[in-house]
């Protein structure tokens, strides 16, 4: 079996709506997929573009955020190139919905609401978080990098046993 299944070059992390029910401030609100594991004939051209861009960013030491690429990272990268999803004939919400519904291995993730907000933020200047007491936090690039690092660590820990479990149950075939 290929080590790339258990330890892919990177993941595309998609933000889901914040759940109505949480536990101690944590909610299941993201899903990770490994773009290199997804045959492009299983997804639309637009979703394939998203997967290819995420793969490129995961491997790019200069412009990439590391192995855990948020969908918002791809959107921000497109913006830096003077492009957006419409330039590819894609609607980003449709692409996210398609990837979440694709018949591919997906690891659901539980995050705190702050990490979820950062995961979903594609603003050029970083999101501002407003707290009940009136405090406002402007998320810096370092805080975003810290969330990337934490999610990467979680994926490096949780992905291999998840995929091995799929293989052991016969739910995922290796070639």
């Amino acid at each position: 079996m290929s080590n790339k299944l258990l330890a892919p070059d990177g993941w595309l992390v998609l933000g889901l709506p914040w759940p109505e029910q949480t536990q101690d401030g944590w909610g299941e609100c993201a899903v990770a997929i490994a773009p290199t594991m997804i045959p492009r004939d299983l997804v639309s051209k637009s979703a394939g573009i998203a997967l290819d861009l995420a793969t490129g960013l995961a491997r790019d030491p200069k412009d990439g955020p590391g192995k855990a690429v948020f969908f918002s990272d791809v959107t921000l990268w497109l913006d830096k190139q003077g492009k957006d999803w419409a330039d590819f004939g894609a609607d980003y919400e449709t692409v996210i919905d398609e990837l979440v519904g694709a018949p591919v291995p997906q690891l659901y993730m539980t995050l705190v609401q702050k990490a979820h907000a950062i995961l979903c933020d594609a603003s050029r200047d970083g999101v501002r978080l407003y707290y009940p007491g009136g405090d406002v936090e402007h998320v810096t690039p370092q805080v975003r990098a810290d969330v990337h690092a934490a999610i990467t660590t979680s994926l490096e820990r949780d992905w291999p046993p998840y995929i091995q479990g799929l293989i052991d149950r016969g739910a995922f075939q290796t070639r």
Side-chain angles (χ1 to χ4, degrees):
M1 166 185 24
S2 169
N3 190 40
K4 294 289 184 184
L5 296 176
L6 300 177
D9 291 338
W11 296 274
L12 177 58
V13 185
L14 308 162
L16 304 173
W18 183 253
E20 289 184 28
Q21 301 225 349
T22 60
Q23 186 170 359
D24 298 324
W26 291 80
E28 189 176 87
C29 60
V31 64
I33 58 177
T36 56
M37 290 175 61
I38 301 173
R40 295 309 186 259
D41 61 350
L42 285 181
V43 297
S44 68
K45 180 181 175 187
S46 297
I49 290 168
L51 295 171
D52 291 343
L53 290 172
T55 299
L57 282 174
R59 294 175 177 164
D60 186 341
K62 181 177 172 249
D63 289 329
K67 289 178 70 173
V69 177
F70 304 163
F71 193 88
S72 61
D73 294 325
V74 179
T75 302
L76 283 165
W77 182 85
L78 287 172
D79 183 65
K80 287 179 186 174
Q81 311 310 310
K83 298 189 179 308
D84 62 24
W85 288 105
D87 291 324
F88 297 99
D91 173 81
Y92 74 91
E93 290 175 346
T94 302
V95 170
I96 291 171
D97 289 345
E98 178 184 349
L99 291 172
V100 169
V104 299
Q106 302 175 356
L107 182 63
Y108 281 79
M109 303 183 75
T110 302
L111 305 172
V112 295
Q113 196 165 15
K114 178 178 177 178
H116 178 258
I118 293 167
L119 164 70
C120 296
D121 176 47
S123 65
R124 292 177 184 160
D125 299 324
V127 69
R128 292 185 191 283
L129 304 173
Y130 295 85
Y131 296 98
D135 291 337
V136 178
E137 177 185 3
H138 181 220
V139 174
T140 64
Q142 182 57 56
V143 172
R144 187 174 175 95
D146 292 345
V147 172
H148 274 101
I151 288 176
T152 299
T153 298
S154 176
L155 287 167
E156 289 174 337
R157 178 193 66 223
D158 297 341
W159 187 266
Y162 164 66
I163 294 298
Q164 190 62 57
L166 291 176
I167 294 167
D168 293 348
R169 288 192 315 275
F172 186 72
Q173 300 295 318
T174 60
R175 293 184 206 171

